[in-house]
């Protein structure tokens, strides 16, 4: 085809009359192309519209004409679709208070939602709940994702224009707007809420079935909906596709109450365990048989990780608070309580605070942690606060009191063991990096503040820690033009104790910037996030546009291109434009509204006291999973 175009500049018309082509064989790669020509007067312009479509079987059926019908609709409606996209983007693109680089990077990072190995299937698909002998499951082979036509509702159509102007060379491309400038002056921006598109419960169509959604951690890490990373990326889905986000949380809520007893060998320690432990949030929804065979990750035993359960509780509460979906809250509450109760085993000195176990038991899975850690400990404090608030709203006052009691005890222990006067130490151990400045040390407070809850720490500790991160992890790395390095020694040298401590993580940098916005540090926030734009998206950077990696080192060497976590830039927009429910949340600390009765509580209580709540939630039907909910 390329030779034909180079020689003649067009295809032979008789190709259209030779009938349908032969079906491709398994593993065979075919290509197709169309061309069009038009006469362009001097100084004139001619626009030719092309459309590319996959069959969208849920609404267009499975006939041979389905794709043709979809192409027809794309060509006749794409201008209206473009107008709607402009209407959605304009309030941000035209806001003179926002840096130009931020505006288009915000939209461009959304490429991952369609380029990240995304699978979107109908809820009625057999693979959604029960493994069927008659319907083949979704299969993933190496880096090429193959989905059976019967199971996959391909929800893609695009119409775009190729405009050719006389006297110019033109090329076509599909993408979001990007400003070519690499150095953009920062403008002062006053605090103000921008328009928000998130719909609350009364605006969402309760009967709408949006299906089930999967996306990969990255094209090099082939695991569906990796949860410790979704923690950062989920702001984009909640902002733009809230019902999909709620369904992902429902999937993990079901998983919490399930167990898979099949033996698995964990590579780092060389020991064996079971694939999925009841009460533990899974690391991912699987690879080869998603939903049914979870935890494709097998480097460490993630049932012993200290961040996953807290992240589940925090995401559920944020989604519950932002959407006001009471039915969702009631449905997932048993899993929330179970996830909190599960974590009690990691509080070994009964101070209310969980401890890490001397291995990388967190999303930073090469960065060893000893004792109490700033990252996991702060997430746990936040989870206690979120669980208390959710329990209060659902009528489970006894559990709300329990979490509040734990919170105050754990917070006191956390500050005593980690606060050094200007920031929280990496951990309470005695290793060479225990006093390192971790960029992500306030991840828990980022979430509680984003969810309308009160601050975990006083303003001095919060601002002091964030300022330390800015002065050291950001500014001391190439003058702040690369993002925030994960670990920095207090002497100003990068923490080289492991691969991840010395990396700049793009998504974490965006999250830190969002945390700075929440603390009123706008100039520092945009400077921090701009480092990712400069290194990854600008003309003077490393050329990572539309393939933003998980991270890079200070010399620009990347790891894991096309990665989920950079969607966390939408957490910045969440702060700039919070949903109505968050804006109108009571300005008092939810923890102050819970009255503690004169008793000593354990998180493990015999009954769930939630109004109108069933004692079970829906479970996975696969026989390999034993639900004990």
């Amino acid at each position: 085809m390329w030779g034909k175009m180079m020689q003649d500049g067009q295809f032979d018309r008789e190709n259209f009359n030779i009938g349908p082509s032969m079906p491709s064989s398994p593993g065979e790669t075919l290509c197709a192309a169309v061309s069009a020509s038009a006469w362009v007067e001097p100084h004139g312009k001619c626009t030719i519209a092309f459309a590319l479509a996959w069959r969208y079987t849920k609404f267009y059926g499975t006939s041979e004409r389905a794709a043709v019908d979809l192409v027809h609709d794309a060509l006749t409606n794409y201008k209206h679709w473009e107008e709607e996209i402009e209407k959605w983007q304009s309030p941000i693109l035209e806001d003179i208070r926002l840096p130009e680089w931020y505006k288009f990077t915000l939209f461009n990072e959304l490429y991952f939602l369609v380029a990240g190995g995304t699978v979107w299937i109908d809820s009625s698909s057999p693979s959604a709940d029960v493994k069927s002998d008659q319907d083949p499951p979704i299969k993933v082979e190496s880096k090429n994702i193959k989905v059976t036509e019967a199971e996959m509702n391909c929800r893609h159509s695009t119409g775009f224009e190729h405009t050719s102007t006389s006297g110019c060379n033109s090329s076509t491309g599909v993408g979001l707007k990007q400003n070519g400038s690499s150095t953009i002056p920062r403008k002062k921006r006053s605090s103000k809420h921008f328009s928000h598109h998130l719909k609350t419960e009364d605006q969402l169509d309760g009967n709408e079935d949006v299906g089930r959604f999967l996306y990969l951690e990255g094209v090099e890490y082939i695991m569906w909906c990796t949860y410790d990373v979704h923690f950062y990326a989920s702001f984009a889905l909640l902002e733009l596709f809230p019902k999909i986000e709620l369904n992902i949380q429902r999937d993990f809520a079901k998983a919490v109450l399930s167990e898979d007893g099949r033996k698995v060998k964990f590579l780092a320690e060389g020991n064996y365990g079971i694939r999925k432990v009841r009460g533990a949030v899974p690391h991912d929804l699987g690879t080869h048989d998603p939903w049914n065979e979870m935890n494709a990750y097998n480097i460490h035993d993630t049932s012993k990780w200290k961040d996953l359960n807290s992240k589940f509780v925090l995401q559920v509460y944020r989604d519950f608070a932002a959407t006001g979906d009471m039915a969702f809250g009631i449905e997932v509450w048993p899993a929330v309580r179970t996830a909190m109760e599960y974590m009690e085993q990691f509080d070994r000195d009964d101070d209310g605070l969980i401890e890490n176990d001397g291995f990388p038991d967190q999303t930073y899975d090469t960065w060893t942690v000893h004792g109490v850690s700033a990252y996991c400990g702060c997430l746990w404090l936040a989870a206690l606060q979120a669980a208390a608030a959710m329990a209060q709203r659902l009528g489970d006052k006894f559990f709300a009191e329990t979490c509040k009691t734990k919170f105050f005890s754990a917070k006191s222990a956390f500050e005593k063991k980690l606060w050094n006067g200007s920031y929280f130490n990496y951990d309470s151990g005695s290793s060479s990096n225990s006093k390192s400045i971790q960029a992500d040390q306030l991840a828990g407070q980022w979430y509680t503040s984003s969810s309308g809850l009160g601050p975990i720490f006083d303003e001095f500790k919060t601002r002091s820690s964030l300022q330390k991160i800015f002065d050291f992890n950001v500014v001391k790395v190439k003058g702040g033009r690369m993002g925030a390095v994960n670990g920095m020694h207090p002497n100003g040298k990068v923490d080289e104790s492991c691969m991840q401590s010395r990396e700049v993580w793009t998504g974490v940098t965006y999250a830190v910037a969002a945390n700075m916005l929440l603390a009123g540090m706008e100039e520092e926030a945009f400077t921090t996030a701009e480092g990712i734009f400069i290194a990854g998206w600008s003309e003077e950077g490393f050329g990572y546009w539309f393939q933003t990696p998980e991270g890079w080192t200070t010399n620009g060497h990347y790891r894991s291109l096309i990665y989920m976590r950079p969607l966390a830039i939408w957490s910045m927009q969440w702060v700039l434009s919070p949903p109505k429910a968050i804006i109108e949340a009571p300005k008092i600390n939810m923890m102050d509204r819970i009255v503690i009765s004169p008793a000593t509580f354990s998180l493990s209580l015999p009954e769930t006291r939630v109004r109108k709540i069933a004692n079970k939630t829906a479970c996975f039907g696969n026989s390999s999973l034993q639900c004990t909910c």
Side-chain angles (χ1 to χ4, degrees):
M1 287 183 171
W2 285 116
K4 181 69 174 175
M5 286 299 294
M6 290 178 65
Q7 178 181 331
D8 301 332
Q10 62 183 5
F11 295 120
D12 296 329
R13 236 172 149 51
E14 53 265 25
N15 288 344
F16 289 96
N17 302 318
I18 60 175
S21 60
M22 294 293 292
S24 59
S25 302
E28 183 182 5
T29 301
L30 300 181
C31 61
V34 294
S35 68
S37 59
W39 181 262
V40 182
E41 297 287 347
H43 308 291
K45 184 172 73 171
C46 177
T47 298
I48 298 173
F50 293 83
L52 175 65
W54 292 261
R55 281 194 290 182
Y56 190 171
T57 59
K58 183 168 184 177
F59 291 106
Y60 284 83
T62 58
S63 73
E64 293 182 356
R65 283 205 52 85
V68 177
D69 293 339
L70 185 50
V71 166
H72 174 271
D73 288 352
L75 289 172
T76 54
N77 290 287
Y78 76 91
K79 289 186 178 180
H80 171 68
W81 297 343
E82 289 176 345
E83 290 171 359
E84 291 298 307
I85 292 172
E86 293 288 342
K87 189 187 301 183
W88 161 53
Q89 294 182 345
S90 290
I92 295 173
L93 295 176
E94 296 174 3
D95 195 315
I96 62 174
R97 295 164 294 184
L98 295 175
E100 289 299 313
W101 66 264
Y102 169 80
K103 298 176 186 179
F104 57 77
T105 307
L106 177 73
F107 292 115
N108 283 344
E109 290 287 15
L110 290 174
Y111 84 92
F112 189 82
L113 289 181
V114 292
T118 304
V119 172
W120 193 5
I121 66 172
D122 192 357
S123 293
S124 62
S125 168
S127 68
D129 290 300
V130 183
K131 208 188 219 180
S132 168
D133 293 330
Q134 290 151 356
D135 293 89
I138 294 174
K139 296 185 182 298
V140 180
E141 299 178 5
S142 183
K143 296 183 182 179
N144 299 316
I145 304 160
K146 297 187 177 181
V147 185
T148 61
E149 182 180 279
E151 290 179 303
M152 176 66 171
N153 290 330
C154 293
R155 307 184 177 211
H156 305 281
S157 71
T158 120
F160 60 92
E161 292 181 340
H162 177 194
T163 302
S164 177
T165 303
S166 180
C168 301
N169 291 323
S170 302
S171 63
T172 12
V174 183
L176 295 166
K177 294 185 175 179
Q178 178 168 342
N179 187 317
S181 175
S182 58
T183 54
I184 298 165
R186 186 174 300 100
K187 300 179 177 69
K188 292 291 287 182
R189 188 188 63 78
S190 59
S191 295
K192 185 176 180 180
H193 300 306
F194 302 99
S195 61
H196 200 282
H197 301 275
L198 180 65
K199 294 182 179 181
T200 53
E201 181 185 19
D202 58 341
Q203 297 170 301
L204 290 170
D205 178 4
N207 296 320
E208 181 187 5
D209 179 9
V210 297
R212 306 185 80 177
F213 186 87
L214 297 168
Y215 67 145
L216 293 174
E217 178 179 340
V219 298
E220 296 180 37
Y221 298 152
I222 310 293
M223 293 166 283
W224 298 113
C225 295
T226 299
Y227 201 71
D228 55 307
V229 184
H230 181 69
F231 176 74
Y232 298 83
S234 58
F235 282 91
L237 282 170
L238 181 59
E239 169 83 19
L240 304 173
F241 304 100
K243 286 213 153 190
I244 290 178
E245 163 62 13
L246 293 185
N247 275 3
I248 291 174
Q249 300 303 343
R250 288 186 180 99
D251 284 338
F252 278 90
K254 294 173 186 176
V256 168
L257 301 176
S258 299
E259 184 160 299
D260 184 344
R262 287 174 289 184
K263 295 292 183 182
V264 175
K265 182 177 182 180
F266 302 111
L267 302 180
E269 293 81 21
N271 59 341
Y272 287 83
I274 65 173
R275 178 173 289 277
K276 169 66 180 67
V277 177
R278 184 191 184 276
V281 174
H283 172 274
D284 54 79
L285 291 178
T287 294
H288 301 292
D289 190 5
W291 298 294
N292 296 326
E293 187 179 281
M294 293 170 284
N295 280 335
Y297 179 95
N298 65 343
I299 298 176
H300 302 288
D301 182 355
T302 59
S303 70
K304 298 178 181 178
W305 276 19
K306 309 307 184 295
D307 60 341
L308 287 169
N309 281 39
S310 296
K311 287 175 175 178
F312 170 70
V313 175
L314 288 169
Q315 288 182 73
V316 164
Y317 180 76
R318 178 204 57 191
D319 297 357
F320 171 66
T323 63
D325 192 332
M326 188 63 68
F328 166 76
I330 292 173
E331 180 182 355
V332 301
W333 177 245
V336 171
R337 271 196 59 161
T338 300
M340 293 297 292
E341 292 164 359
Y342 180 86
M343 294 299 289
E344 197 172 42
Q345 64 182 298
F346 302 121
D347 175 16
R348 297 182 175 87
D349 53 5
D350 295 322
D351 61 356
L353 188 61
I354 62 171
E355 288 87 36
N356 292 78
D357 283 326
F359 75 100
D361 46 357
Q362 55 180 7
T363 192
Y364 299 91
D365 60 352
T366 68
W367 200 356
T368 299
V369 198
H370 299 277
V372 175
S373 78
Y375 183 69
C376 297
C378 186
L379 288 172
W380 173 242
L381 291 176
L384 286 168
Q385 189 176 12
M390 190 168 181
Q392 180 78 4
R393 289 186 62 178
L394 293 177
D396 193 348
K397 295 182 180 179
F398 202 65
F399 194 74
E401 294 174 3
T402 302
C403 290
K404 183 172 182 178
T405 303
K406 287 277 186 182
F407 173 83
F408 286 118
S409 174
K411 178 183 176 183
S412 175
F414 183 89
E415 292 183 337
K416 180 179 179 180
K417 293 178 179 180
L418 296 180
W419 179 250
N420 62 22
S422 59
Y423 65 95
F424 294 100
N425 290 334
Y426 175 70
D427 64 27
S428 63
S430 56
S431 65
S432 61
N433 68 334
S434 287
K435 289 183 168 51
S436 285
I437 308 161
Q438 185 179 12
D440 216 1
Q441 63 185 264
L442 294 180
Q445 176 138 325
W446 164 51
Y447 246 76
T448 55
S449 297
S450 297
S451 305
L453 296 172
I456 298 175
F457 308 111
D458 61 55
E459 184 179 1
F460 171 76
K461 288 186 177 69
T462 299
R463 289 184 66 95
S464 175
S465 298
L466 291 172
Q467 191 64 52
K468 192 77 172 183
I469 292 165
F470 180 75
D471 292 340
F472 280 71
N473 301 59
V474 178
V475 175
K476 290 186 182 294
V477 179
K478 307 294 183 181
R481 299 173 67 80
M482 290 194 74
V485 70
N486 284 334
M488 178 72 77
H489 289 296
N491 63 3
K493 294 184 179 180
V494 173
D495 184 342
E496 300 273 359
S497 58
C498 72
M499 172 185 72
Q500 292 171 342
S501 64
R502 61 176 173 263
E503 288 179 331
V504 173
W505 281 10
T506 53
V508 167
T509 298
Y510 288 140
V512 170
N515 219 347
M516 290 174 175
L517 287 174
L518 287 162
M521 303 167 62
E522 295 183 4
E523 183 174 354
E524 292 87 346
F526 283 114
T527 299
T528 298
E530 188 179 13
I532 303 303
F533 161 75
I534 293 171
W537 289 90
S538 75
E539 293 179 0
E540 63 182 273
F542 302 113
Y544 297 143
W545 45 81
F546 298 106
Q547 52 182 342
T548 313
E550 157 77 307
W552 47 66
T553 59
T554 55
N555 58 11
H557 292 169
Y558 72 86
R559 182 170 60 83
S560 188
L561 287 172
I562 311 180
Y563 198 75
M564 181 196 294
R565 206 181 318 247
L567 283 170
I569 191 173
W570 279 87
S571 69
M572 297 179 66
Q573 191 60 26
W574 185 267
V575 178
L576 296 170
S577 173
K580 184 179 180 182
I582 300 299
I583 296 173
E584 297 179 353
K587 300 309 176 188
I588 62 174
N589 193 325
M590 177 63 76
M591 300 300 285
D592 297 332
R593 303 174 64 185
I594 303 169
V595 179
I596 302 179
S597 59
T600 302
F601 305 116
S602 165
L603 281 181
S604 301
L605 300 174
E607 68 174 302
T608 301
R609 303 181 181 183
V610 182
R611 61 175 181 267
K612 296 181 182 178
I613 191 166
N615 60 3
K616 287 190 177 184
T617 188
C619 307
F620 288 105
N622 186 4
S623 59
S624 65
L625 296 171
Q626 301 169 358
C627 179
T628 54
C629 46

